Amino acid sequence: MIVNAPRAVDLIVAILCGTLFAIHLLGSHVLNPSDTSWFKGDVHTYFVGWQFLRVDAWHWPLTWTPNLAYPTGIVTANFDINPLIALLFKVASPFLPPTFQYFGIESWAVCVLQTYFGFRFIRVFQPDNHGVVLFGGLMFLIAPPFVFRLWAGTFSLANQWLILAVLTQFRPIGDRRGIKK
């Protein structure tokens, strides 16, 4: 199997830089899934939504719980939890400690993914200039809207790497097959 070297290097550097940045910005204690002492502001609300979803039986829609907004119930996604991650951990919930939060893990993951797709996006335009790729990818990591969303604890809004992932699918016009400059 041939590994695409630039992608592998991008991933390794993104893991390193994203991890260091997440620890620098939020602290290493955030990565402990049993530590809730770092919660501030809206993170408490997210945690309440996650806890109610976690202990409740399965319903349709999947993130709905009758225990919040009783007696009608509510979709816990309204509490700004990331529904895909919450459902993943709900499945694993019987094996998790009683006090468990995934927000620190999510913060670390979005830092790594933001860096990786920042590298990939810049590589679309500068495929052979590794210095520009490194600098450009790190600029996406320290972009003020991204940093503010993480620091403020609005983790779902920090998933800006999704936009970068989509943008990496575009190519400059001259690079498209069958189109000549």
Side-chain angles (χ1 to χ4, degrees), residues 2 26 28 41 57 73 83 91 94 137 142 151-152 159:
I2 298 174
L26 303 170
S28 61
V91 171
I142 64 169
W151 183 78
N159 283 296

Side-chain angles (χ1 to χ4, degrees), residues 16 39 48 78-79 82 92 97 111 119 129 151 158 160 163 178 181:
L16 177 66
F39 288 179
V48 167
N78 291 345
F79 284 77
N82 188 326
C111 285
F119 291 158
N129 194 336
W151 183 78
Q160 298 169 13
I163 298 168
K181 287 184 178 179

Side-chain angles (χ1 to χ4, degrees), residues 61-97:
L62 293 175
T63 61
W64 186 75
T65 179
N67 297 326
L68 285 168
Y70 184 82
T72 58
I74 193 169
V75 175
T76 55
N78 291 345
F79 284 77
D80 209 18
I81 63 173
N82 188 326
L84 295 176
I85 297 174
L87 290 173
L88 177 74
F89 282 113
K90 180 179 172 106
V91 171
S93 188
F95 309 105
L96 299 175

Side-chain angles (χ1 to χ4, degrees), residues 18-19 22 31 85 102-116 146 150 159 161:
T19 301
L31 298 176
I85 297 174
Y102 59 83
F103 308 118
I105 298 166
E106 181 181 11
S107 299
W108 167 78
V110 298
C111 285
V112 170
L113 291 168
Q114 179 85 353
T115 308
Y116 176 73
F146 176 73
L150 276 180
N159 283 296
W161 64 271

Side-chain angles (χ1 to χ4, degrees), residues 127-154:
D128 299 323
N129 194 336
H130 304 299
V132 170
V133 169
L134 178 65
F135 180 76
L138 292 177
M139 290 297 105
F140 282 107
L141 179 62
I142 64 169
F146 176 73
V147 172
F148 177 73
R149 295 299 177 196
L150 276 180
W151 183 78
T154 51

